[in-house]
Amino acid sequence: QKEVEQDPGPLSVPEGAIVSLNCTYSNSAFQYFMWYRQYSRKGPELLMYTYSSGNKEDGRFTAQVDKSSKYISLFIRDSQPSDSATYLCAPYSGAGSYQLTFGKGTKLSVIP
Amino acid sequence: DAEITQSPRHKITETGRQVTLACHQTWNHNNMFWYRQDLGHGLRLIHYSYGVQDTNKGEVSDGYSVSRSNTEDLPLTLESAASSQTSVYFCASSEPGPNEQFFGPGTRLTVL
């Protein structure tokens, strides 16, 4: 079993839709849960991250972590064409290790 | 403004040749990373460094080497390029801790 599983999509939604992007992971040591966004032919950029279980909101984006089920979610409200990108989850254990384990990424297209 | 740059941005080489990809960051970050990104595999860690003279192997290090002689640079060398190393390569840097990894723009390498 891979450490981080993410459905690669592609996912296509109409503008204004609520988008749900998800990952599962197997390593119980993961404490920080990052979401990166990658536009076509660009490097990934950090979108947001959470620590341990719970929710975190940043504008139209909400990150949710359920450590009991090892499930990570990113919700996008009122999706915009500018949200069209690949979204990568990247859990991270901390504890002196600074390596990220990336999911394969989900490619999202928001259609005007 | 601080930044991370990669060169060349595109490279075509032949099987068996030695290739070096450059990565330079001006944030003065201790941590630097090299990833490759392939369809169906996502971002995979090749090598990483936590400071000058420190280098470590990642998930897919075979056929690659790095050296860290100063804080700003982490060049990636393909000792004898193989067609399986055709990929997009990203360099990243970060401060220690659960901090954002800043990615370069990527180098698209084709091995014929």
PDB file of all heavy atoms in Angstrom, chain A residues 7-45:
ATOM      1  N   ASP A   7      -6.818  10.122  -5.765  1.00  0.00           N
ATOM      2  CA  ASP A   7      -7.429   9.860  -7.059  1.00  0.00           C
ATOM      3  C   ASP A   7      -6.953  10.914  -8.051  1.00  0.00           C
ATOM      4  O   ASP A   7      -7.162  12.103  -7.825  1.00  0.00           O
ATOM      5  CB  ASP A   7      -8.958   9.917  -6.933  1.00  0.00           C
ATOM      6  CG  ASP A   7      -9.656   9.523  -8.219  1.00  0.00           C
ATOM      7  OD1 ASP A   7      -9.015   9.542  -9.298  1.00  0.00           O
ATOM      8  OD2 ASP A   7     -10.847   9.191  -8.164  1.00  0.00           O
ATOM      9  N   PRO A   8      -6.297  10.507  -9.144  1.00  0.00           N
ATOM     10  CA  PRO A   8      -5.732  11.491 -10.070  1.00  0.00           C
ATOM     11  C   PRO A   8      -6.747  12.222 -10.925  1.00  0.00           C
ATOM     12  O   PRO A   8      -6.415  13.201 -11.597  1.00  0.00           O
ATOM     13  CB  PRO A   8      -4.793  10.641 -10.939  1.00  0.00           C
ATOM     14  CG  PRO A   8      -5.392   9.284 -10.896  1.00  0.00           C
ATOM     15  CD  PRO A   8      -5.979   9.128  -9.530  1.00  0.00           C
ATOM     16  N   GLY A   9      -8.019  11.755 -10.888  1.00  0.00           N
ATOM     17  CA  GLY A   9      -9.021  12.398 -11.721  1.00  0.00           C
ATOM     18  C   GLY A   9      -8.837  12.010 -13.177  1.00  0.00           C
ATOM     19  O   GLY A   9      -8.452  10.874 -13.461  1.00  0.00           O
ATOM     20  N   PRO A  10      -9.084  12.906 -14.142  1.00  0.00           N
ATOM     21  CA  PRO A  10      -9.375  14.328 -13.936  1.00  0.00           C
ATOM     22  C   PRO A  10     -10.797  14.560 -13.444  1.00  0.00           C
ATOM     23  O   PRO A  10     -11.671  13.733 -13.623  1.00  0.00           O
ATOM     24  CB  PRO A  10      -9.165  14.919 -15.328  1.00  0.00           C
ATOM     25  CG  PRO A  10      -9.460  13.803 -16.263  1.00  0.00           C
ATOM     26  CD  PRO A  10      -9.026  12.545 -15.565  1.00  0.00           C
ATOM     27  N   LEU A  11     -10.979  15.704 -12.803  1.00  0.00           N
ATOM     28  CA  LEU A  11     -12.254  16.110 -12.267  1.00  0.00           C
ATOM     29  C   LEU A  11     -12.673  17.392 -12.967  1.00  0.00           C
ATOM     30  O   LEU A  11     -11.912  18.354 -13.009  1.00  0.00           O
ATOM     31  CB  LEU A  11     -12.118  16.346 -10.756  1.00  0.00           C
ATOM     32  CG  LEU A  11     -13.347  16.736  -9.962  1.00  0.00           C
ATOM     33  CD1 LEU A  11     -14.391  15.637 -10.034  1.00  0.00           C
ATOM     34  CD2 LEU A  11     -12.961  17.017  -8.512  1.00  0.00           C
ATOM     35  N   SER A  12     -13.859  17.383 -13.535  1.00  0.00           N
ATOM     36  CA  SER A  12     -14.356  18.542 -14.265  1.00  0.00           C
ATOM     37  C   SER A  12     -15.671  18.993 -13.648  1.00  0.00           C
ATOM     38  O   SER A  12     -16.595  18.179 -13.486  1.00  0.00           O
ATOM     39  CB  SER A  12     -14.552  18.179 -15.741  1.00  0.00           C
ATOM     40  OG  SER A  12     -14.922  19.304 -16.485  1.00  0.00           O
ATOM     41  N   VAL A  13     -15.761  20.287 -13.267  1.00  0.00           N
ATOM     42  CA  VAL A  13     -16.959  20.801 -12.598  1.00  0.00           C
ATOM     43  C   VAL A  13     -17.344  22.127 -13.227  1.00  0.00           C
ATOM     44  O   VAL A  13     -16.495  22.829 -13.789  1.00  0.00           O
ATOM     45  CB  VAL A  13     -16.722  20.993 -11.087  1.00  0.00           C
ATOM     46  CG1 VAL A  13     -16.313  19.678 -10.417  1.00  0.00           C
ATOM     47  CG2 VAL A  13     -15.707  22.079 -10.815  1.00  0.00           C
ATOM     48  N   PRO A  14     -18.616  22.515 -13.115  1.00  0.00           N
ATOM     49  CA  PRO A  14     -19.022  23.836 -13.610  1.00  0.00           C
ATOM     50  C   PRO A  14     -18.637  24.925 -12.617  1.00  0.00           C
ATOM     51  O   PRO A  14     -18.528  24.682 -11.409  1.00  0.00           O
ATOM     52  CB  PRO A  14     -20.548  23.717 -13.733  1.00  0.00           C
ATOM     53  CG  PRO A  14     -20.922  22.689 -12.723  1.00  0.00           C
ATOM     54  CD  PRO A  14     -19.773  21.723 -12.661  1.00  0.00           C
ATOM     55  N   GLU A  15     -18.424  26.109 -13.126  1.00  0.00           N
ATOM     56  CA  GLU A  15     -18.106  27.257 -12.274  1.00  0.00           C
ATOM     57  C   GLU A  15     -19.170  27.415 -11.199  1.00  0.00           C
ATOM     58  O   GLU A  15     -20.357  27.277 -11.449  1.00  0.00           O
ATOM     59  CB  GLU A  15     -18.029  28.520 -13.129  1.00  0.00           C
ATOM     60  CG  GLU A  15     -17.636  29.767 -12.363  1.00  0.00           C
ATOM     61  CD  GLU A  15     -17.464  30.972 -13.288  1.00  0.00           C
ATOM     62  OE1 GLU A  15     -17.518  30.781 -14.522  1.00  0.00           O
ATOM     63  OE2 GLU A  15     -17.275  32.086 -12.776  1.00  0.00           O
ATOM     64  N   GLY A  16     -18.712  27.687  -9.964  1.00  0.00           N
ATOM     65  CA  GLY A  16     -19.635  27.865  -8.853  1.00  0.00           C
ATOM     66  C   GLY A  16     -19.883  26.607  -8.044  1.00  0.00           C
ATOM     67  O   GLY A  16     -20.457  26.678  -6.956  1.00  0.00           O
ATOM     68  N   ALA A  17     -19.457  25.480  -8.533  1.00  0.00           N
ATOM     69  CA  ALA A  17     -19.691  24.211  -7.834  1.00  0.00           C
ATOM     70  C   ALA A  17     -18.804  24.107  -6.593  1.00  0.00           C
ATOM     71  O   ALA A  17     -17.777  24.781  -6.470  1.00  0.00           O
ATOM     72  CB  ALA A  17     -19.411  23.038  -8.765  1.00  0.00           C
ATOM     73  N   ILE A  18     -19.209  23.240  -5.679  1.00  0.00           N
ATOM     74  CA  ILE A  18     -18.370  22.886  -4.534  1.00  0.00           C
ATOM     75  C   ILE A  18     -17.554  21.663  -4.939  1.00  0.00           C
ATOM     76  O   ILE A  18     -18.092  20.676  -5.439  1.00  0.00           O
ATOM     77  CB  ILE A  18     -19.227  22.565  -3.294  1.00  0.00           C
ATOM     78  CG1 ILE A  18     -19.999  23.803  -2.851  1.00  0.00           C
ATOM     79  CG2 ILE A  18     -18.336  22.059  -2.152  1.00  0.00           C
ATOM     80  CD1 ILE A  18     -20.973  23.553  -1.714  1.00  0.00           C
ATOM     81  N   VAL A  19     -16.253  21.762  -4.714  1.00  0.00           N
ATOM     82  CA  VAL A  19     -15.345  20.694  -5.099  1.00  0.00           C
ATOM     83  C   VAL A  19     -14.809  20.009  -3.845  1.00  0.00           C
ATOM     84  O   VAL A  19     -14.474  20.674  -2.860  1.00  0.00           O
ATOM     85  CB  VAL A  19     -14.159  21.258  -5.922  1.00  0.00           C
ATOM     86  CG1 VAL A  19     -13.159  20.146  -6.254  1.00  0.00           C
ATOM     87  CG2 VAL A  19     -14.662  21.923  -7.196  1.00  0.00           C
ATOM     88  N   SER A  20     -14.745  18.702  -3.894  1.00  0.00           N
ATOM     89  CA  SER A  20     -14.170  17.925  -2.802  1.00  0.00           C
ATOM     90  C   SER A  20     -13.010  17.091  -3.335  1.00  0.00           C
ATOM     91  O   SER A  20     -13.180  16.289  -4.257  1.00  0.00           O
ATOM     92  CB  SER A  20     -15.230  17.002  -2.199  1.00  0.00           C
ATOM     93  OG  SER A  20     -14.649  16.121  -1.256  1.00  0.00           O
ATOM     94  N   LEU A  21     -11.829  17.317  -2.784  1.00  0.00           N
ATOM     95  CA  LEU A  21     -10.633  16.577  -3.181  1.00  0.00           C
ATOM     96  C   LEU A  21     -10.156  15.788  -1.960  1.00  0.00           C
ATOM     97  O   LEU A  21     -10.157  16.312  -0.839  1.00  0.00           O
ATOM     98  CB  LEU A  21      -9.536  17.537  -3.646  1.00  0.00           C
ATOM     99  CG  LEU A  21      -9.944  18.491  -4.772  1.00  0.00           C
ATOM    100  CD1 LEU A  21      -8.899  19.577  -4.969  1.00  0.00           C
ATOM    101  CD2 LEU A  21     -10.146  17.728  -6.071  1.00  0.00           C
ATOM    102  N   ASN A  22      -9.733  14.553  -2.175  1.00  0.00           N
ATOM    103  CA  ASN A  22      -9.475  13.676  -1.033  1.00  0.00           C
ATOM    104  C   ASN A  22      -8.193  12.879  -1.174  1.00  0.00           C
ATOM    105  O   ASN A  22      -7.749  12.578  -2.278  1.00  0.00           O
ATOM    106  CB  ASN A  22     -10.647  12.705  -0.881  1.00  0.00           C
ATOM    107  CG  ASN A  22     -11.976  13.409  -0.858  1.00  0.00           C
ATOM    108  OD1 ASN A  22     -12.281  14.169   0.042  1.00  0.00           O
ATOM    109  ND2 ASN A  22     -12.779  13.190  -1.903  1.00  0.00           N
ATOM    110  N   CYS A  23      -7.629  12.535  -0.018  1.00  0.00           N
ATOM    111  CA  CYS A  23      -6.476  11.642   0.059  1.00  0.00           C
ATOM    112  C   CYS A  23      -6.653  10.712   1.244  1.00  0.00           C
ATOM    113  O   CYS A  23      -7.292  11.082   2.241  1.00  0.00           O
ATOM    114  CB  CYS A  23      -5.176  12.431   0.283  1.00  0.00           C
ATOM    115  SG  CYS A  23      -4.631  13.403  -1.110  1.00  0.00           S
ATOM    116  N   THR A  24      -6.065   9.542   1.126  1.00  0.00           N
ATOM    117  CA  THR A  24      -5.935   8.660   2.281  1.00  0.00           C
ATOM    118  C   THR A  24      -4.459   8.388   2.497  1.00  0.00           C
ATOM    119  O   THR A  24      -3.655   8.485   1.561  1.00  0.00           O
ATOM    120  CB  THR A  24      -6.679   7.331   2.080  1.00  0.00           C
ATOM    121  OG1 THR A  24      -6.160   6.685   0.902  1.00  0.00           O
ATOM    122  CG2 THR A  24      -8.163   7.549   1.909  1.00  0.00           C
ATOM    123  N   TYR A  25      -4.105   8.078   3.722  1.00  0.00           N
ATOM    124  CA  TYR A  25      -2.703   7.803   4.017  1.00  0.00           C
ATOM    125  C   TYR A  25      -2.605   6.645   4.991  1.00  0.00           C
ATOM    126  O   TYR A  25      -3.582   6.266   5.640  1.00  0.00           O
ATOM    127  CB  TYR A  25      -2.007   9.051   4.574  1.00  0.00           C
ATOM    128  CG  TYR A  25      -2.536   9.532   5.897  1.00  0.00           C
ATOM    129  CD1 TYR A  25      -1.947   9.141   7.090  1.00  0.00           C
ATOM    130  CD2 TYR A  25      -3.632  10.400   5.954  1.00  0.00           C
ATOM    131  CE1 TYR A  25      -2.422   9.585   8.308  1.00  0.00           C
ATOM    132  CE2 TYR A  25      -4.123  10.845   7.165  1.00  0.00           C
ATOM    133  CZ  TYR A  25      -3.511  10.445   8.344  1.00  0.00           C
ATOM    134  OH  TYR A  25      -3.993  10.880   9.544  1.00  0.00           O
ATOM    135  N   SER A  26      -1.417   6.068   5.110  1.00  0.00           N
ATOM    136  CA  SER A  26      -1.255   4.884   5.943  1.00  0.00           C
ATOM    137  C   SER A  26      -0.337   5.108   7.145  1.00  0.00           C
ATOM    138  O   SER A  26      -0.385   4.342   8.108  1.00  0.00           O
ATOM    139  CB  SER A  26      -0.720   3.721   5.110  1.00  0.00           C
ATOM    140  OG  SER A  26       0.519   4.064   4.519  1.00  0.00           O
ATOM    141  N   ASN A  27       0.471   6.150   7.107  1.00  0.00           N
ATOM    142  CA  ASN A  27       1.474   6.368   8.147  1.00  0.00           C
ATOM    143  C   ASN A  27       0.880   7.158   9.319  1.00  0.00           C
ATOM    144  O   ASN A  27       0.585   8.345   9.189  1.00  0.00           O
ATOM    145  CB  ASN A  27       2.670   7.117   7.549  1.00  0.00           C
ATOM    146  CG  ASN A  27       3.839   7.208   8.503  1.00  0.00           C
ATOM    147  OD1 ASN A  27       3.690   6.987   9.702  1.00  0.00           O
ATOM    148  ND2 ASN A  27       4.997   7.530   7.970  1.00  0.00           N
ATOM    149  N   SER A  28       0.756   6.512  10.470  1.00  0.00           N
ATOM    150  CA  SER A  28       0.169   7.161  11.639  1.00  0.00           C
ATOM    151  C   SER A  28       1.028   8.294  12.187  1.00  0.00           C
ATOM    152  O   SER A  28       0.560   9.098  12.989  1.00  0.00           O
ATOM    153  CB  SER A  28      -0.035   6.125  12.761  1.00  0.00           C
ATOM    154  OG  SER A  28      -0.899   5.105  12.338  1.00  0.00           O
ATOM    155  N   ALA A  29       2.275   8.354  11.769  1.00  0.00           N
ATOM    156  CA  ALA A  29       3.175   9.394  12.278  1.00  0.00           C
ATOM    157  C   ALA A  29       2.918  10.767  11.657  1.00  0.00           C
ATOM    158  O   ALA A  29       3.416  11.772  12.158  1.00  0.00           O
ATOM    159  CB  ALA A  29       4.627   8.992  12.026  1.00  0.00           C
ATOM    160  N   PHE A  30       2.160  10.807  10.569  1.00  0.00           N
ATOM    161  CA  PHE A  30       1.893  12.099   9.928  1.00  0.00           C
ATOM    162  C   PHE A  30       1.114  13.007  10.877  1.00  0.00           C
ATOM    163  O   PHE A  30       0.101  12.610  11.456  1.00  0.00           O
ATOM    164  CB  PHE A  30       1.108  11.921   8.630  1.00  0.00           C
ATOM    165  CG  PHE A  30       1.896  11.292   7.522  1.00  0.00           C
ATOM    166  CD1 PHE A  30       1.277  10.431   6.626  1.00  0.00           C
ATOM    167  CD2 PHE A  30       3.243  11.564   7.344  1.00  0.00           C
ATOM    168  CE1 PHE A  30       1.986   9.848   5.586  1.00  0.00           C
ATOM    169  CE2 PHE A  30       3.966  10.983   6.307  1.00  0.00           C
ATOM    170  CZ  PHE A  30       3.334  10.118   5.432  1.00  0.00           C
ATOM    171  N   GLN A  31       1.630  14.238  11.048  1.00  0.00           N
ATOM    172  CA  GLN A  31       1.015  15.209  11.955  1.00  0.00           C
ATOM    173  C   GLN A  31       0.564  16.476  11.221  1.00  0.00           C
ATOM    174  O   GLN A  31      -0.325  17.170  11.689  1.00  0.00           O
ATOM    175  CB  GLN A  31       2.021  15.607  13.044  1.00  0.00           C
ATOM    176  CG  GLN A  31       2.437  14.467  13.963  1.00  0.00           C
ATOM    177  CD  GLN A  31       1.325  14.091  14.908  1.00  0.00           C
ATOM    178  OE1 GLN A  31       0.439  14.870  15.215  1.00  0.00           O
ATOM    179  NE2 GLN A  31       1.354  12.853  15.381  1.00  0.00           N
ATOM    180  N   TYR A  32       1.232  16.800  10.125  1.00  0.00           N
ATOM    181  CA  TYR A  32       0.931  18.003   9.365  1.00  0.00           C
ATOM    182  C   TYR A  32       0.427  17.572   7.994  1.00  0.00           C
ATOM    183  O   TYR A  32       0.946  16.631   7.405  1.00  0.00           O
ATOM    184  CB  TYR A  32       2.186  18.870   9.211  1.00  0.00           C
ATOM    185  CG  TYR A  32       2.790  19.300  10.521  1.00  0.00           C
ATOM    186  CD1 TYR A  32       3.720  18.503  11.164  1.00  0.00           C
ATOM    187  CD2 TYR A  32       2.425  20.505  11.114  1.00  0.00           C
ATOM    188  CE1 TYR A  32       4.272  18.884  12.381  1.00  0.00           C
ATOM    189  CE2 TYR A  32       2.969  20.898  12.319  1.00  0.00           C
ATOM    190  CZ  TYR A  32       3.888  20.086  12.951  1.00  0.00           C
ATOM    191  OH  TYR A  32       4.432  20.472  14.143  1.00  0.00           O
ATOM    192  N   PHE A  33      -0.558  18.305   7.511  1.00  0.00           N
ATOM    193  CA  PHE A  33      -1.208  17.888   6.263  1.00  0.00           C
ATOM    194  C   PHE A  33      -1.288  19.088   5.343  1.00  0.00           C
ATOM    195  O   PHE A  33      -2.037  20.022   5.588  1.00  0.00           O
ATOM    196  CB  PHE A  33      -2.581  17.293   6.572  1.00  0.00           C
ATOM    197  CG  PHE A  33      -2.485  16.126   7.517  1.00  0.00           C
ATOM    198  CD1 PHE A  33      -2.564  16.316   8.889  1.00  0.00           C
ATOM    199  CD2 PHE A  33      -2.274  14.842   7.030  1.00  0.00           C
ATOM    200  CE1 PHE A  33      -2.441  15.243   9.763  1.00  0.00           C
ATOM    201  CE2 PHE A  33      -2.154  13.761   7.895  1.00  0.00           C
ATOM    202  CZ  PHE A  33      -2.229  13.963   9.260  1.00  0.00           C
ATOM    203  N   MET A  34      -0.498  19.035   4.296  1.00  0.00           N
ATOM    204  CA  MET A  34      -0.359  20.173   3.402  1.00  0.00           C
ATOM    205  C   MET A  34      -1.079  19.917   2.090  1.00  0.00           C
ATOM    206  O   MET A  34      -1.175  18.777   1.635  1.00  0.00           O
ATOM    207  CB  MET A  34       1.120  20.433   3.136  1.00  0.00           C
ATOM    208  CG  MET A  34       1.908  20.682   4.420  1.00  0.00           C
ATOM    209  SD  MET A  34       3.561  21.286   4.103  1.00  0.00           S
ATOM    210  CE  MET A  34       4.053  21.754   5.755  1.00  0.00           C
ATOM    211  N   TRP A  35      -1.570  20.986   1.516  1.00  0.00           N
ATOM    212  CA  TRP A  35      -2.133  20.945   0.172  1.00  0.00           C
ATOM    213  C   TRP A  35      -1.349  21.909  -0.706  1.00  0.00           C
ATOM    214  O   TRP A  35      -1.201  23.091  -0.367  1.00  0.00           O
ATOM    215  CB  TRP A  35      -3.607  21.340   0.174  1.00  0.00           C
ATOM    216  CG  TRP A  35      -4.499  20.245   0.662  1.00  0.00           C
ATOM    217  CD1 TRP A  35      -4.983  20.072   1.926  1.00  0.00           C
ATOM    218  CD2 TRP A  35      -5.032  19.168  -0.117  1.00  0.00           C
ATOM    219  NE1 TRP A  35      -5.766  18.951   1.987  1.00  0.00           N
ATOM    220  CE2 TRP A  35      -5.805  18.373   0.742  1.00  0.00           C
ATOM    221  CE3 TRP A  35      -4.905  18.784  -1.454  1.00  0.00           C
ATOM    222  CZ2 TRP A  35      -6.469  17.222   0.305  1.00  0.00           C
ATOM    223  CZ3 TRP A  35      -5.566  17.642  -1.884  1.00  0.00           C
ATOM    224  CH2 TRP A  35      -6.343  16.873  -1.021  1.00  0.00           C
ATOM    225  N   TYR A  36      -0.835  21.387  -1.805  1.00  0.00           N
ATOM    226  CA  TYR A  36      -0.149  22.196  -2.793  1.00  0.00           C
ATOM    227  C   TYR A  36      -1.015  22.299  -4.051  1.00  0.00           C
ATOM    228  O   TYR A  36      -1.729  21.352  -4.409  1.00  0.00           O
ATOM    229  CB  TYR A  36       1.209  21.592  -3.152  1.00  0.00           C
ATOM    230  CG  TYR A  36       2.299  21.886  -2.142  1.00  0.00           C
ATOM    231  CD1 TYR A  36       2.361  21.198  -0.937  1.00  0.00           C
ATOM    232  CD2 TYR A  36       3.257  22.861  -2.398  1.00  0.00           C
ATOM    233  CE1 TYR A  36       3.346  21.483  -0.006  1.00  0.00           C
ATOM    234  CE2 TYR A  36       4.258  23.152  -1.475  1.00  0.00           C
ATOM    235  CZ  TYR A  36       4.287  22.451  -0.276  1.00  0.00           C
ATOM    236  OH  TYR A  36       5.271  22.736   0.642  1.00  0.00           O
ATOM    237  N   ARG A  37      -0.902  23.416  -4.720  1.00  0.00           N
ATOM    238  CA  ARG A  37      -1.599  23.621  -5.986  1.00  0.00           C
ATOM    239  C   ARG A  37      -0.543  23.816  -7.059  1.00  0.00           C
ATOM    240  O   ARG A  37       0.435  24.540  -6.863  1.00  0.00           O
ATOM    241  CB  ARG A  37      -2.505  24.860  -5.897  1.00  0.00           C
ATOM    242  CG  ARG A  37      -3.251  25.188  -7.173  1.00  0.00           C
ATOM    243  CD  ARG A  37      -4.253  26.323  -6.921  1.00  0.00           C
ATOM    244  NE  ARG A  37      -3.590  27.541  -6.493  1.00  0.00           N
ATOM    245  CZ  ARG A  37      -4.230  28.587  -5.974  1.00  0.00           C
ATOM    246  NH1 ARG A  37      -5.554  28.558  -5.837  1.00  0.00           N
ATOM    247  NH2 ARG A  37      -3.565  29.655  -5.607  1.00  0.00           N
ATOM    248  N   GLN A  38      -0.743  23.158  -8.190  1.00  0.00           N
ATOM    249  CA  GLN A  38       0.215  23.241  -9.284  1.00  0.00           C
ATOM    250  C   GLN A  38      -0.502  23.578 -10.582  1.00  0.00           C
ATOM    251  O   GLN A  38      -1.296  22.784 -11.085  1.00  0.00           O
ATOM    252  CB  GLN A  38       0.976  21.917  -9.432  1.00  0.00           C
ATOM    253  CG  GLN A  38       2.074  21.957 -10.480  1.00  0.00           C
ATOM    254  CD  GLN A  38       2.850  20.663 -10.573  1.00  0.00           C
ATOM    255  OE1 GLN A  38       2.379  19.604 -10.149  1.00  0.00           O
ATOM    256  NE2 GLN A  38       4.056  20.720 -11.105  1.00  0.00           N
ATOM    257  N   TYR A  39      -0.211  24.758 -11.105  1.00  0.00           N
ATOM    258  CA  TYR A  39      -0.722  25.132 -12.414  1.00  0.00           C
ATOM    259  C   TYR A  39       0.134  24.471 -13.481  1.00  0.00           C
ATOM    260  O   TYR A  39       1.296  24.115 -13.244  1.00  0.00           O
ATOM    261  CB  TYR A  39      -0.727  26.642 -12.577  1.00  0.00           C
ATOM    262  CG  TYR A  39      -1.743  27.348 -11.700  1.00  0.00           C
ATOM    263  CD1 TYR A  39      -1.357  28.170 -10.641  1.00  0.00           C
ATOM    264  CD2 TYR A  39      -3.112  27.181 -11.932  1.00  0.00           C
ATOM    265  CE1 TYR A  39      -2.290  28.806  -9.845  1.00  0.00           C
ATOM    266  CE2 TYR A  39      -4.048  27.815 -11.138  1.00  0.00           C
ATOM    267  CZ  TYR A  39      -3.631  28.616 -10.093  1.00  0.00           C
ATOM    268  OH  TYR A  39      -4.557  29.242  -9.302  1.00  0.00           O
ATOM    269  N   SER A  40      -0.465  24.344 -14.671  1.00  0.00           N
ATOM    270  CA  SER A  40       0.199  23.641 -15.757  1.00  0.00           C
ATOM    271  C   SER A  40       1.575  24.244 -16.046  1.00  0.00           C
ATOM    272  O   SER A  40       1.713  25.465 -16.163  1.00  0.00           O
ATOM    273  CB  SER A  40      -0.690  23.703 -17.002  1.00  0.00           C
ATOM    274  OG  SER A  40      -0.097  23.019 -18.061  1.00  0.00           O
ATOM    275  N   ARG A  41       2.577  23.397 -16.136  1.00  0.00           N
ATOM    276  CA  ARG A  41       3.954  23.775 -16.463  1.00  0.00           C
ATOM    277  C   ARG A  41       4.575  24.741 -15.444  1.00  0.00           C
ATOM    278  O   ARG A  41       5.451  25.536 -15.781  1.00  0.00           O
ATOM    279  CB  ARG A  41       4.032  24.352 -17.877  1.00  0.00           C
ATOM    280  CG  ARG A  41       3.670  23.326 -18.931  1.00  0.00           C
ATOM    281  CD  ARG A  41       3.865  23.823 -20.341  1.00  0.00           C
ATOM    282  NE  ARG A  41       3.625  22.751 -21.295  1.00  0.00           N
ATOM    283  CZ  ARG A  41       4.560  21.948 -21.764  1.00  0.00           C
ATOM    284  NH1 ARG A  41       5.799  22.097 -21.375  1.00  0.00           N
ATOM    285  NH2 ARG A  41       4.259  20.986 -22.614  1.00  0.00           N
ATOM    286  N   LYS A  42       4.103  24.665 -14.189  1.00  0.00           N
ATOM    287  CA  LYS A  42       4.672  25.460 -13.110  1.00  0.00           C
ATOM    288  C   LYS A  42       5.056  24.539 -11.960  1.00  0.00           C
ATOM    289  O   LYS A  42       4.647  23.380 -11.907  1.00  0.00           O
ATOM    290  CB  LYS A  42       3.648  26.488 -12.597  1.00  0.00           C
ATOM    291  CG  LYS A  42       3.138  27.452 -13.638  1.00  0.00           C
ATOM    292  CD  LYS A  42       4.178  28.496 -13.972  1.00  0.00           C
ATOM    293  CE  LYS A  42       3.585  29.560 -14.873  1.00  0.00           C
ATOM    294  NZ  LYS A  42       4.610  30.556 -15.265  1.00  0.00           N
ATOM    295  N   GLY A  43       5.838  25.060 -11.007  1.00  0.00           N
ATOM    296  CA  GLY A  43       6.127  24.313  -9.794  1.00  0.00           C
ATOM    297  C   GLY A  43       4.962  24.395  -8.825  1.00  0.00           C
ATOM    298  O   GLY A  43       4.163  25.338  -8.873  1.00  0.00           O
ATOM    299  N   PRO A  44       4.827  23.416  -7.940  1.00  0.00           N
ATOM    300  CA  PRO A  44       3.762  23.450  -6.930  1.00  0.00           C
ATOM    301  C   PRO A  44       3.948  24.632  -5.969  1.00  0.00           C
ATOM    302  O   PRO A  44       5.064  25.060  -5.702  1.00  0.00           O
ATOM    303  CB  PRO A  44       3.928  22.126  -6.191  1.00  0.00           C
ATOM    304  CG  PRO A  44       4.727  21.253  -7.093  1.00  0.00           C
ATOM    305  CD  PRO A  44       5.616  22.180  -7.863  1.00  0.00           C
ATOM    306  N   GLU A  45       2.813  25.126  -5.454  1.00  0.00           N
ATOM    307  CA  GLU A  45       2.833  26.183  -4.447  1.00  0.00           C
ATOM    308  C   GLU A  45       1.946  25.756  -3.283  1.00  0.00           C
ATOM    309  O   GLU A  45       0.879  25.179  -3.508  1.00  0.00           O
ATOM    310  CB  GLU A  45       2.288  27.490  -5.029  1.00  0.00           C
ATOM    311  CG  GLU A  45       3.117  28.083  -6.132  1.00  0.00           C
ATOM    312  CD  GLU A  45       2.464  29.336  -6.710  1.00  0.00           C
ATOM    313  OE1 GLU A  45       1.269  29.281  -7.020  1.00  0.00           O
ATOM    314  OE2 GLU A  45       3.157  30.358  -6.839  1.00  0.00           O
TER     315      GLU A  45
END
